[in-house]
């Protein structure tokens, strides 16, 4: 790369001779000779570490980068910056990021009306490959491989070189090449419309304002920056094309001087395939390339930043220097040292700063990173940038992002990736003064706290360990920084010892982080000290091992003599490296993704003897019977054995017999779980997919499982009418001495035949079902069965249910048994509509309209096993099969429901019914309640219709992680005692009124009438205990009738009424939380203003949606009776009103109001309607307004209409001086009122309007008497 130009002065005679020679050449010849010179001059690259005479061919290094023709949205940019590893690359190669090849850079936009761009902006970050891409375009044009039919001539201008030119020059002189100025002038004149100028590195150009008009012709002289500005603006060579490369920070300046039409493109560096190809080209040796790539790929952080070509080159250079042997032994330099190499490469070759300015730049970048990292902020406003950064025109390591927000274009800055921000954040501590660094590092380490909760700080701490590495710190730190590094190193050593001794970061799950930190530090003395202390508390390692991780583990554990526990997920390839560590470990949990027979000896050697093997899993193994026996013998020599899963080629009678006999001979009396599994594609060669033998809690379990197959795959292999049947069956024996009497070969054979079935051969399948049931009946000591199937036929299911129903020795049939269920055995039968719809997936899709949805979603029955019971289960399944597709509009619905109810009534001992429904038919609901009232054994009936607070299971509509949501209103919960009189209750009328009320989505007079009808039915219930009502609108009329119900119904203990309205406060809170991430105050205030307008809109909606908003309470009402300890008879009862409104128009200044009434209040009626209406008039009134006193007087006056009021508690947002006389007057005038308490809400207690925070008046009853 040239650093400047040498001007050669010719004599007049030489100049005339040269002009005469060139004049005899035509333009085509000149361009041909020009291309030849380009091919010789630009075919080679000089790398950053090249010595004199060392060059590489450009084509041996060049890889097509990712180039996209679009701007990214903020969310997309942030997600990309935060992602790592393979997720990072897959995110970048999504459908939106359509890659643009070099030959299509000057293609018109996809829209037909777009013109061919005359100027293309190629934006990219530092080291992203902009310059080498520009050089590749130049070279490929010269070789005829690119733009042959588009451009006759291409000139390459480096802005860095133009900065070094002095004096005035013309364009033909600036285009310095093998051609003379006259030849260039001729070419430009003849090919003006087919000329391309490549301007590389616009961000490095030093522009100065032109003193006069821009020169219009290429032979007119001016300052180089003026000539280039004229070219860019199109004043000169108007019809030519431009390709300008620049960093993102300079794009705005470029837009001001660049002609149109323009095209914007961004160069993103390498794709995942690009990284692979770069490694292949760099090493030339394919084996070497694959080894290096696999090593880097498993190192998530390094692999992520390989998208930067310069970073990719650094990693490859380091590996190439170490050679193949280092790759085989995983001897890789620390991650931090590679980031430091990248830092210096960019500073040296992409910046023109002296040492002091470099230091200031690094310190400022560190401060910026340190500001954002604790807050998880990765995009910064310009005002957040330190002055030393904002003053530098083109800062390396930072990229600029422009976000469209309404009518504004916002500028944001961020690091190229979160990993670089984390590195610079750690670097900021190293560049801090020694006097301050100890406090700052202490704050960082304390903030990390529990690493699993603050994992975003862990990479920073890891980089801090790496920068404290003595070899790394010597690379770039002066004496002062090395002194700071020593202080930090000592601090980190004390901290990691504290972490281990006090377990402040849950070292079992954070062991990978701890070991990585020690590896980055690479200090043997520190490592020896830490490992010795760690042994004292017990070394516990929980890790999913990858290539580099294995090296980290072995480096750190080389100084440990004893390891308490290792929990590892790794490959068999790691066994050799981990062998010595595994031998020194007492407890092991090992999970191998693959293992062959050649690895078994190494495994058994590592397992050793007298250990606790809590888990051993070989997932995709290919073990022979001989290897299986070796592992089993090794397990026999251990102190304890947990869950074992060994993958073999096929499960056969031979290896199953081998395993079972070995266990019966050597393992009985111990607890274990040993599974042999097969991943064979052909199920006919293997008896099953897994065969498990488990001993636990003095019982023995035998399990056979078949891999769940996709129905389409079954059709391909076996043809039409074939389905998977049995997927798993387990049974448990209570008497261990009877195990030897179990013929498990017959069990395996029967299960193999039940793997799938054909409806064309259902007779044969039914025979196998009978064989299974006959076999289970013969098993001695059988007490529990777990059976799972993909498809249930009516005959099969009915036979199985009949078998289990008449065998009391089987306690229950579930996946997991609880001890409490042994004393109360039951058959839990669960049926849902999922399989029905899956089997009919090819039919017409089901409508999402509620009326078109099938009513039945799921049915659960609980039935105890009764010997001698005779239930025709086939009737149930035939009824269910007819009922599942029926909707609310189906004419056969009532008949099918009646059939189901008749059957359920005939089931002896029926204990439990749970129904999940999409809608509740009135006749069906009434029939179920009648069944409940008449069936003495039925203890529990649950009808769930659309609300997730009662476990509604429609996964499309409900998320179990959400708070309870009442999706159907009203929602009513009733609790009654078992009164025989309730059998005659008119439940049909109740559900008719309920459905009529459900469809009223707007308030009207009919709404109150329906509420009254509904409550009148409840009033007729005997033994009514609790009532929970959630209405769409809680009105004054409805609330007063509910209070009358409680006052006149002596058995009713509690009533809860709630008005379901949207809570705007929670929305405002979410807005403010999200807004904290953005430092742009203008944006926040604008959005807040819009949000307030939204609230006002909601207020207007409150007033217009209802016919009379004054009738809506916008409150929650709770009423309950209080009983004394000495007497169970009803005593006082309490009414609680709580404002739940969020709108300014419906919020009450009395946020909480509690009334306590005496037991005698039921003897005299109370005017609840007057009281509630007065309370409701207070809503939306400012406590300091003129209307408040009037409304308060009306509310206090209404209290006289309540019989037996003895206590009044109110909570308000302000307690002013005019409250006291009104309260004293009420207390004196209301004889039975004993206590009044007013309190100010907690969040308003410090308001200047308050004369006090609470006012409590208690009447002395004895003295008054």
């Amino acid at each position: 790369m040239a650093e400047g130009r040498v001007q050669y002065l010719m004599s007049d005679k030489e100049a005339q001779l040269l002009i005469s020679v060139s004049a005899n050449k035509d333009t085509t010849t000149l361009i041909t000779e020009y291309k030849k010179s380009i091919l010789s001059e630009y075919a080679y690259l000089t790398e950053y570490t090249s010595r004199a005479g060392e060059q590489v061919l450009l084509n041996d290094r060049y890889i097509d980068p990712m180039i996209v023709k679009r701007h990214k949205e903020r969310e997309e940019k942030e997600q990309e910056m935060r992602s790592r590893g393979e997720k990072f690359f897959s995110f970048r190669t999504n459908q939106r990021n359509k890659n643009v090849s070099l030959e299509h850079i000057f293609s018109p936009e996809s829209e037909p009306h777009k013109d061919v761009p005359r100027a293309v902006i190629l934006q990219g970050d530092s080291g992203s490959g902009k310059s080498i891409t520009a050089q590749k375009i130049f070279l490929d044009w010269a070789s005829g491989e690119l733009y042959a039919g588009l451009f006759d001539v291409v000139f390459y201008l480096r802005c860095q070189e133009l900065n070094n030119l002095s004096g005035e020059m013309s364009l033909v002189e600036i285009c310095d090449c093998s051609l003379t100025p006259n030849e260039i002038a001729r070419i430009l004149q003849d090919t003006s419309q087919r000329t391309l100028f490549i301007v590389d590195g616009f961000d490095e150009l030093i522009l100065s304002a032109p003193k006069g008009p821009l020169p219009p012709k290429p032979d007119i002289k001016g300052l180089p920056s003026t000539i280039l500005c004229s070219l860019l603006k199109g004043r000169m060579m108007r019809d030519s094309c431009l390709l300008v490369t620049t960093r993102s920070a300079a794009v705005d300046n470029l837009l001001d001087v660049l002609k149109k039409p323009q095209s914007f493109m961004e160069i993103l560096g390498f794709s995942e395939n690009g990284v692979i190809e770069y490694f292949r080209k760099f090493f030339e040796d394919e084996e070497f390339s694959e080894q290096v790539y696999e090593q880097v790929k498993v190192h998530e952080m390094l692999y992520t930043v390989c998208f930067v070509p310069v970073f990719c080159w650094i990693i490859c250079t380091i590996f190439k220097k170490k050679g193949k042997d280092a790759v085989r032994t995983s001897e890789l330099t620390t991650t931090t040292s590679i980031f430091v190499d990248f830092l210096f490469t960019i500073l040296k070759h992409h910046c023109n700063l002296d040492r002091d300015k470099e230091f200031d730049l690094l310190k400022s970048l560190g401060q910026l990173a340190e500001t954002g990292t604790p807050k998880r902020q990765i995009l910064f406003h310009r005002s957040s940038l330190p002055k030393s950064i904002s003053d530098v025109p083109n800062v390396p390591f930072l990229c600029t992002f422009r976000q469209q927000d309404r009518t504004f274009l916002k500028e944001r800055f961020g690091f190229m990736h979160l990993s670089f921000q984390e590195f610079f954040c750690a670097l900021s501590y190293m560049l801090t003064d020694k006097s301050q660094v100890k406090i700052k590092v202490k704050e960082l380490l304390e903030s990390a706290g529990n690493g699993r909760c603050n994992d975003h700080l862990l990479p920073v701490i890891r980089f801090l360990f790496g920068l404290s590495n003595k070899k790394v710190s010597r690379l770039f730190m002066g004496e002062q920084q090395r002194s700071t590094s020593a202080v930090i190193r000592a601090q980190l050593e004390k901290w990691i010892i504290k972490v281990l001794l006090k377990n402040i970061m849950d070292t079992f799950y954070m062991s990978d982080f701890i070991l990585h930190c020690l590896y980055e530090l690479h200090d043997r003395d520190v490592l020896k000290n830490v490992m010795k202390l760690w042994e004292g508390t017990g070394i516990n390692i929980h890790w999913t091992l990858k290539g580099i991780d294995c090296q980290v583990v072995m480096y750190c554990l080389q100084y440990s003599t004893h390891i308490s526990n290792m929990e590892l997920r790794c490959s068999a390839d790691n066994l050799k490296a981990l062998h010595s560590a595994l031998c020194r470990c007492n407890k092991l949990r090992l999970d191998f993704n693959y293992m062959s027979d050649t690895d078994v000896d190494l495994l058994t050697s590592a397992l050793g003897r007298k250990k606790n093997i809590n888990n051993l899993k070989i997932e995709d193994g290919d073990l022979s019977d001989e290897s299986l026996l070796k592992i089993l013998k090794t397990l026999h020599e251990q102190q304890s054995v947990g869950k074992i899963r060994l993958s073999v080629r096929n499960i056969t009678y031979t290896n199953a017999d081998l395993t079972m006999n070995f266990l019966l001979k050597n393992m009985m009396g111990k607890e274990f779980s040993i599974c042999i599994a097969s991943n064979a594609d052909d199920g006919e060669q293997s008896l099953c997919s897994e065969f498990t033998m488990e001993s636990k809690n003095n019982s023995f379990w035998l399990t056979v499982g078949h891999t769940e197959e996709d129905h389409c795959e079954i059709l391909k292999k076996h043809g039409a009418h074939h389905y998977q049947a049995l997927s798993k069956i387990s049974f448990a024996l209570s008497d261990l001495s009877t195990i030897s009497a179990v013929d498990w070969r017959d069990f395996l054979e029967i299960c193999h035949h039940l793997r799938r079935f054909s409806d064309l051969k259902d007779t044969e399948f039914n025979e196998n079902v009978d064989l299974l049931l006959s076999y289970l009946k013969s098993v001695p000591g059988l007490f529990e069965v777990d059976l799972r199937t993909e498809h249930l036929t009516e005959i099969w299911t009915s036979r199985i249910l009949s078998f289990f129903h008449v065998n009391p020795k089987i306690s229950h049939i579930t996946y997991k048994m609880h001890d409490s269920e042994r004393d109360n055995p039951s058959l839990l039968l669960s049926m849902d509509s999922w399989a029905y719809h899956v089997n009919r997936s090819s039919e017409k899709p089901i409508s999402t309209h509620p009326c078109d949805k099938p009513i039945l979603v799921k049915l659960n029955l609980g039935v105890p096993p009764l010997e001698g019971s005779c239930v025709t289960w086939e009737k149930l399944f035939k009824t269910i099969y007819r009922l599942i597709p029926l909707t609310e509009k189906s004419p056969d619905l009532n008949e099918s429901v009646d059939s189901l109810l008749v059957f359920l009534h005939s089931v002896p001992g029926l204990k439990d019914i749970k129904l999940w429904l999409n809608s509740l038919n009135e006749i069906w609901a009434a029939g179920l309640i009648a069944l409940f009232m008449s069936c003495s054994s039925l203890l529990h009936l649950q009808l769930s219709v659309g609300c997730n607070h009662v476990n509604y299971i429609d996964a499309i509509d409900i998320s179990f992680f959400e708070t309870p949501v009442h999706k159907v209103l009203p929602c009513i919960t009733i609790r009654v005692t078992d009164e025989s009189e309730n059998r005659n209750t008119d439940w049909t009328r109740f559900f008719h009124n309920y459905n009529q009320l459900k469809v009223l989505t707007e308030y009207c007079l009919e709404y109150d009438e329906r509420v009254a009808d509904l409550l009148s039915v409840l009033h007729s219930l005997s033994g009514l205990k609790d009532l929970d009502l959630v209405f769409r609108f809680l009105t004054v009329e409805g609330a007063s009738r509910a209070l009358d119900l409680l006052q006149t119904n002596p058995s009713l203990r509690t009533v809860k009424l709630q008005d379901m309205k949207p809570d705007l406060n929670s929305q405002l809170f979410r807005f403010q939380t999200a807004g904290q991430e953005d430092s742009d105050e203008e944006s926040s205030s604008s959005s807040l203003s819009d949000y307030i307008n939204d609230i006002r809109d909601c207020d207007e909606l409150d007033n217009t949606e209802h016919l009379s908003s004054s009738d809506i309470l916008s409150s929650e009402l709770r009423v309950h009776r209080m009983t004394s300890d000495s007497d169970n008879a009803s005593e006082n009862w309490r009414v609680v009103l709580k404002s739940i409104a969020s709108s300014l128009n419906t919020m009450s200044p009395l946020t909480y109001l509690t009334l306590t009434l005496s037991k005698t209040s039921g003897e005299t009626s109370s005017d609840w309607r007057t009281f509630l209406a007065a309370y409701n008039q207070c809503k939306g009134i400012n406590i300091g307004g003129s209307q408040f006193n009037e409304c308060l007087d009306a509310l206090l006056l209404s209290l006289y209409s309540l019989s037996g009021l003895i206590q009044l508690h109110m909570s308000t947002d302000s307690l002013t001086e005019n409250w006291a006389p009104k309260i004293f007057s009420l207390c004196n005038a209301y004889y039975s009122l004993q206590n009044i308490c007013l309190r100010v809400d907690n969040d308003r207690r410090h308001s200047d309007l308050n004369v006090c925070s609470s006012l409590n008046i208690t009447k002395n009853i004895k003295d008054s008497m």
Side-chain angles (χ1 to χ4, degrees), residues 35 53 188 389 745 764 776 823 855 922 963 981 1058 1133 1157 1203:
K35 288 182 176 180
L188 293 179
I389 294 181
R745 275 178 170 256
E764 179 183 347
L776 292 175
D823 301 327
I855 284 187
E922 297 169 12
T963 54
E981 292 86 351
Q1058 188 172 345
W1133 53 295
L1157 296 96
S1203 173

Side-chain angles (χ1 to χ4, degrees), residues 840-853:
R840 283 151 180 78
S841 58
S842 61
E843 297 179 6
K844 184 179 179 181
I846 298 173
S847 171
T848 57
H849 191 278
C851 293
D852 296 329
K853 276 188 174 183

Side-chain angles (χ1 to χ4, degrees), residues 1115-1171:
S1115 301
E1116 180 180 304
L1117 174 64
R1118 293 174 182 262
V1119 191
H1120 65 275
R1121 297 186 191 272
M1122 300 176 290
T1123 58
S1124 63
D1125 297 334
S1126 59
D1127 188 2
N1128 290 330
S1130 296
E1131 294 289 346
N1132 301 334
W1133 53 295
R1134 179 168 293 166
V1135 179
V1136 180
L1137 266 171
K1138 179 183 177 183
S1139 175
I1140 59 173
S1142 302
S1143 160
L1144 299 177
N1145 288 352
T1146 56
M1147 188 179 296
S1148 174
L1150 300 174
T1151 54
Y1152 211 92
L1153 191 148
T1154 303
L1155 307 173
T1156 303
L1157 296 96
S1158 67
K1159 62 179 181 180
T1160 58
S1161 63
E1163 301 173 2
T1164 306
S1165 62
S1166 297
D1167 190 354
W1168 290 108
R1169 188 176 290 100
T1170 300
F1171 163 71

Side-chain angles (χ1 to χ4, degrees), residues 1008-1038:
D1008 283 335
E1009 294 175 2
R1010 293 301 177 186
V1011 171
D1013 291 341
L1014 193 70
L1015 294 177
S1016 66
V1017 178
L1018 297 178
H1019 188 72
S1020 65
L1021 281 177
S1022 300
L1024 180 62
K1025 290 290 187 182
D1026 301 297
L1027 183 61
D1028 190 344
L1029 302 170
V1030 181
F1031 288 131
R1032 189 179 303 276
F1033 314 113
L1034 179 55
T1035 65
V1036 171
E1037 179 69 22

Side-chain angles (χ1 to χ4, degrees), residues 467 469-477 482 485 489:
L467 291 170
N469 184 318
K470 294 178 180 179
K471 290 183 179 179
V472 174
S473 62
R474 291 194 200 104
L475 292 176
F476 66 99
M477 295 183 182
R482 282 195 290 270
S485 177
R489 189 184 305 114

